[in-house]
Amino acid sequence: MVESDGIGKSNNGEPGAGEAAQALRAILQTQYLRYMIIGTWALGLLATVGLAIAALWFVGTVAAGAVRGAVEKRISDRVGAGWGLVFPAVATATTAAWATAPLLAWFSGAEFGHALALALLVSGYVLVFAQLRSSPRQAIVISSPYGVAAVIIAASLWGTPTFWQFLAVVPFTGAGLVVLVMMTMLREERIRAFQEHQSHLIEELETARDRANAANDAKSSFLGVISHELRTPMNGVLGAAQLLGATRLEPTQREYLSIIRNSGDNLLSLLNDILDMTKIEAGKMTFEVVDVSIEDLHKRVTGPFQAQAEAKGLTFSTRFEGDVPSVVRGDPLRVCQVIHNLLSNAVKFTDRGEVTYVVRGERLAGDRVRFDFAVTDSGAGISPEDLARLFQPFTQVDGSSTRRFGGTGLGLTIARRMANIMNGDINVTSTVGEGSTFTFSVETDVVEWARQEAAEPIDAEVSDGQALNVLVVEDHPVNRMILEAWLGSAGHASVSAENGQIAIDMAQDQTFDLIIMDVNMPVMDGLTATRAIRAGQGANRETPIVVLSASARSEDHAAGLDAGADAYLNKPIDFAALAHLMNRVGLGRAGVRSCIENSQAAAA
C-alpha cells in the first residue's frame, strides 16, 4: 500500500522501468511503515466488524505485504531488464487487500461503519497519491482497487437519496488529491532546481579547487627548481670565498670577505628552508628508517649549540629522564633537523639565563617507546596571541621592521610538519617574561633498551714486558690454534704437543717458561704427563704447569694439583685468569701457586 517516493522516467528505452526502479527503492525503505499503517486500519475495523474479521483482515493484509516484500527484494536487481511493469502490478494486487477494509466497514451494519468506510477510502487514495506524487499515472493504476470499492459502495446506494450524497464526495476527494499532487510536484521542482544549481556550484568549486591545486603545484615546482638552481652558483660563491680566505688579505679585505661568507650562509639556509617546504607540500619529503643510537644522536644534536650558548654567556644543560633506550629505529637526519630548529631558536632568542635540553622516554611496550624532546629557555616568552600564529609559514613573532633577527619564518612550520609526517607533533608552553618550552613528541620502535658493552680485549702481555716461551699441550687443533694465536699476539713464543707423551719428549730437550697442559688426551693424559715431568730430571722439572679441563669439580682440581700442577683452569679458558697467572711466572712455581691459594682464601 505505501508506495515509492517519486517515480521517474523509464530507463534504457523500456516504459516504466525507471519508474519501477525508483518505486522499488522507496518501497523497500518504507516496508516497516506499511505494517504500522496496517495495524492502525485493523484497529479501526475492530470497532465495527468485530475481533475475528478485523484479525483476519490484518493477517491477510500483512501476509500479502510480506509476500510482496519478498518478491520486490528477489527481483530488485532485474529492473530495466524486462521487469519494469512487475512492480506496479504487484503493488496493485496488494492494494486490493487494503481496499477490502472500507468494504468490510461499509457492509458491517455498524452505526459508524459508513463513516469509517469513507475515511478509509479517502486515506487510501491520499496515501497512494502522496507516495506516487511525481507519477499520477502510476498512482491512478495502483489505487484502482479503491475505485472498485467505491463503485461497489455506490452500487449498494443506487436508488436511495444517499447515492447522490456519496457521489458528492468524489469531486471533493479528487480536488484534494489534485492539489496534493500539484503542490508536491511544485515543491519537488523547486528542490530539483536547487539541486541542479547546487551541482553546478559544486562543479565550479571543484574546477576552482583543481585550478588552485594546479597553481600551488606549479608554485611548489617553481620554488623547488629555483632553489636547486640557486644552490649551484651559491656553492661556487661560498667555495670561492673559502679559497680566497686562505690567501694573504688585508684586514679590510678579510672583513669584506667575512660579510660575503655570512651573507652566503644565510642565503643558503633560506634556500634550504624553501626547498624543504616545497618538498613537504608536494609530498616528496623522503624519510629513511635505520638503527639510531640515542647517544650518538644526542652528541649530534647538542654539539653545535653548546658552544653557541657558552659564547653568549648562557648556561647550556642536558639530561635524560625516564626509560630511554639505547638504539631505536628512525630517521636521524630529520629528527636532528627538528631538534636543531628548536635549540637554534632557544639560543638565538635568549639573552641571559639558561637553555635546557631534556630527553624523556616512556616505555609503551616491550619494543615501543615515546620520546619527548623538550627545549626550555629563559627568554622573553611568547604571548597567547603570538602562539596562535607561531607555526604559520612566513610569519615571525616579531614582525616589526626593526626586529633583531632575520629569517624566513619557515623553521617552526617545517619542523612541525616533519614531526607530523613522523606521526609526532610539537607543542609549546610559554610565559611572557619567563621563557618557553618547546616539546617534540614522537613514538618509535626500540631495537635495544640497553646496549651491550663491548668486552674489553684481554691482553696476553706480562707486566715487565718479558716474552715467555710456552709449551701448549692440547689434542684439539682449534684449541691449540686459539691459544697459540692469543700468546703470539703479545709476542710470546709457543710450541704445541698433541698428547702427554709428545710433551714429555719436548720437555726433555727444550726449556719453557710455562706449560699449559690439557687433562684429557689420547696416548697419555695430562696428569700422567705432569707427574712424569715432575719426577724426571729434565730442564722443566720446576717449570710452572697449568692444567686445563672441562671438569669443574673440586676433586678434579685437587687431583691436578696433587699431580704436580701449580694451577688449574676450567674450559672454556678464562683468558683473564690465564693472563694473571702468566704475570706470576717470573716468581716461579710458588708465585703461580699463590694465585690459587689467594683465590681459595677469598672464596672461603
Side-chain angles (χ1 to χ4, degrees):
M1 165 48 228
V2 179
E3 308 299 339
S4 70
D5 188 5
I7 299 181
K9 299 189 180 278
S10 60
N11 268 336
N12 304 325
E14 182 182 347
E19 297 175 352
Q22 295 185 43
L24 175 61
R25 285 193 293 270
I27 288 169
L28 293 177
Q29 294 172 355
T30 59
Q31 56 182 325
Y32 296 109
L33 178 62
R34 175 195 310 163
Y35 297 133
M36 184 189 72
I37 298 175
I38 291 173
T40 60
W41 280 35
L43 189 62
L45 286 175
L46 180 63
T48 56
V49 300
L51 178 61
I53 297 177
L56 183 64
W57 178 87
F58 176 77
V59 173
T61 308
V62 168
V67 171
R68 172 182 167 184
V71 172
E72 290 166 349
K73 289 182 179 179
R74 193 175 190 85
I75 62 175
S76 60
D77 58 341
R78 303 180 185 179
V79 175
W83 297 88
L85 298 178
V86 172
F87 298 106
V90 172
T92 303
T94 55
T95 302
W98 290 66
T100 59
L103 292 176
L104 291 173
W106 183 268
F107 295 106
S108 65
E111 182 178 354
F112 188 67
H114 287 185
L116 178 61
L118 289 176
L120 292 176
L121 275 176
V122 173
S123 64
Y125 272 110
V126 170
L127 286 171
V128 172
F129 277 84
Q131 296 299 314
L132 300 176
R133 52 189 176 271
S134 61
S135 182
R137 179 170 57 88
Q138 293 284 351
I140 292 172
V141 173
I142 293 175
S143 64
S144 59
Y146 293 112
V148 174
V151 169
I152 294 174
I153 292 174
S156 69
L157 296 175
W158 179 258
T160 65
T162 313
F163 174 78
W164 299 106
Q165 297 174 8
F166 177 78
L167 288 183
V169 177
V170 174
F172 165 76
T173 305
L177 295 177
V178 170
V179 171
L180 171 66
V181 171
M182 290 183 64
M183 293 297 294
T184 303
M185 291 180 69
L186 287 174
R187 184 189 66 184
E188 291 188 347
E189 185 62 30
R190 291 172 182 171
I191 293 174
R192 190 177 300 110
F194 174 77
Q195 290 175 340
E196 291 177 355
H197 179 64
Q198 191 177 41
S199 299
H200 180 66
L201 290 178
I202 291 174
E203 290 178 359
E204 290 183 347
L205 289 174
E206 290 177 346
T207 301
R209 179 201 61 195
D210 294 340
R211 290 175 179 173
N213 288 339
N216 185 59
D217 292 341
K219 179 262 298 180
S220 298
S221 177
F222 172 76
L223 290 176
V225 171
I226 288 298
S227 298
H228 271 295
E229 293 300 323
L230 289 178
R231 285 171 63 89
T232 300
M234 278 307 304
N235 287 333
V237 170
L238 293 176
Q242 289 179 345
L243 293 175
L244 185 59
T247 62
R248 185 176 300 173
L249 298 174
E250 296 179 0
T252 303
Q253 293 174 327
R254 192 166 297 279
E255 182 179 354
Y256 292 161
L257 179 62
S258 176
I259 294 174
I260 294 174
R261 293 190 59 177
N262 290 336
S263 300
D265 289 337
N266 291 335
L267 182 57
L268 189 60
S269 177
L270 186 149
L271 292 175
N272 289 335
D273 284 348
I274 294 176
L275 186 59
D276 284 341
M277 197 67 185
T278 55
K279 285 182 178 180
I280 291 174
E281 289 182 347
K284 296 180 180 179
M285 178 66 74
T286 57
F287 289 80
E288 64 176 353
V289 179
V290 297
D291 289 354
V292 183
S293 168
I294 297 300
E295 182 180 355
D296 295 342
L297 181 70
H298 184 71
K299 293 177 180 177
R300 290 175 58 180
V301 166
T302 59
F305 301 102
Q306 188 160 4
Q308 294 181 21
E310 292 174 354
K312 291 186 65 174
L314 303 176
T315 301
F316 188 88
S317 60
T318 65
R319 67 176 184 271
F320 291 89
E321 296 179 357
D323 293 328
V324 178
S326 176
V327 182
V328 297
R329 298 281 290 172
D331 189 331
L333 176 63
R334 301 306 180 190
V335 172
C336 281
Q337 192 170 351
V338 173
I339 302 175
H340 274 183
N341 181 271
L342 303 182
L343 286 172
S344 175
N345 287 341
V347 174
K348 181 192 300 184
F349 295 109
T350 303
D351 293 329
R352 60 180 179 275
E354 64 177 348
V355 173
T356 304
Y357 171 60
V358 180
V359 180
R360 299 187 186 93
E362 178 184 355
R363 187 190 295 256
L364 302 178
D367 58 349
R368 194 76 178 164
V369 66
R370 170 191 169 92
F371 280 115
D372 288 330
F373 301 96
V375 178
T376 302
D377 63 66
S378 58
I382 305 171
S383 67
E385 298 78 20
D386 291 329
L387 283 176
R389 59 189 180 90
L390 187 62
F391 293 96
Q392 295 178 6
F394 303 105
T395 60
Q396 286 191 336
V397 171
D398 181 10
S400 64
S401 59
T402 59
R403 67 187 184 190
R404 297 170 53 198
F405 306 101
T408 61
L410 285 174
L412 282 176
T413 303
I414 294 172
R416 178 171 245 181
R417 293 194 182 182
M418 282 187 177
N420 295 154
I421 295 174
M422 291 184 283
N423 296 320
D425 199 5
I426 297 177
N427 298 301
V428 56
T429 59
S430 183
T431 302
V432 176
E434 296 182 7
S436 308
T437 297
F438 287 79
T439 304
F440 166 39
S441 302
V442 68
E443 295 181 12
T444 187
D445 294 328
V446 177
V447 178
E448 293 180 2
W449 282 101
R451 168 159 288 183
Q452 299 294 329
E453 296 294 336
E456 294 184 2
I458 300 173
D459 197 354
E461 293 184 1
V462 295
S463 57
D464 58 1
Q466 178 185 0
L468 303 179
N469 189 15
V470 183
L471 171 61
V472 177
V473 187
E474 169 66 64
D475 63 316
H476 199 287
V478 174
N479 290 343
R480 288 200 307 271
M481 179 191 68
I482 292 173
L483 276 168
E484 290 176 350
W486 182 72
L487 292 168
S489 66
H492 301 299
S494 63
V495 294
S496 61
E498 299 177 5
N499 56 63
Q501 183 59 58
I502 298 175
I504 293 174
D505 295 340
M506 295 178 69
Q508 292 290 335
D509 302 327
Q510 187 175 353
T511 302
F512 298 102
D513 298 312
L514 177 66
I515 299 174
I516 301 175
M517 181 79 70
D518 188 21
V519 172
N520 298 309
M521 293 181 293
V523 181
M524 180 183 292
D525 64 84
L527 297 184
T528 303
T530 299
R531 282 191 288 266
I533 292 174
R534 293 294 185 226
Q537 299 299 322
N540 295 288
R541 181 177 182 180
E542 295 300 323
T543 297
I545 298 177
V546 177
V547 293
L548 305 175
S549 176
S551 174
R553 298 186 307 168
S554 58
E555 52 267 32
D556 292 329
H557 289 198
L561 298 177
D562 292 342
D566 301 296
Y568 195 108
L569 294 179
N570 295 324
K571 288 185 177 180
I573 301 173
D574 183 351
F575 284 101
L578 180 56
H580 184 59
L581 292 173
M582 291 172 60
N583 275 284
R584 308 289 291 179
V585 167
L587 302 177
R589 294 183 59 188
V592 174
R593 279 183 173 271
S594 66
C595 294
I596 303 299
E597 293 170 356
N598 292 337
S599 62
Q600 290 176 346

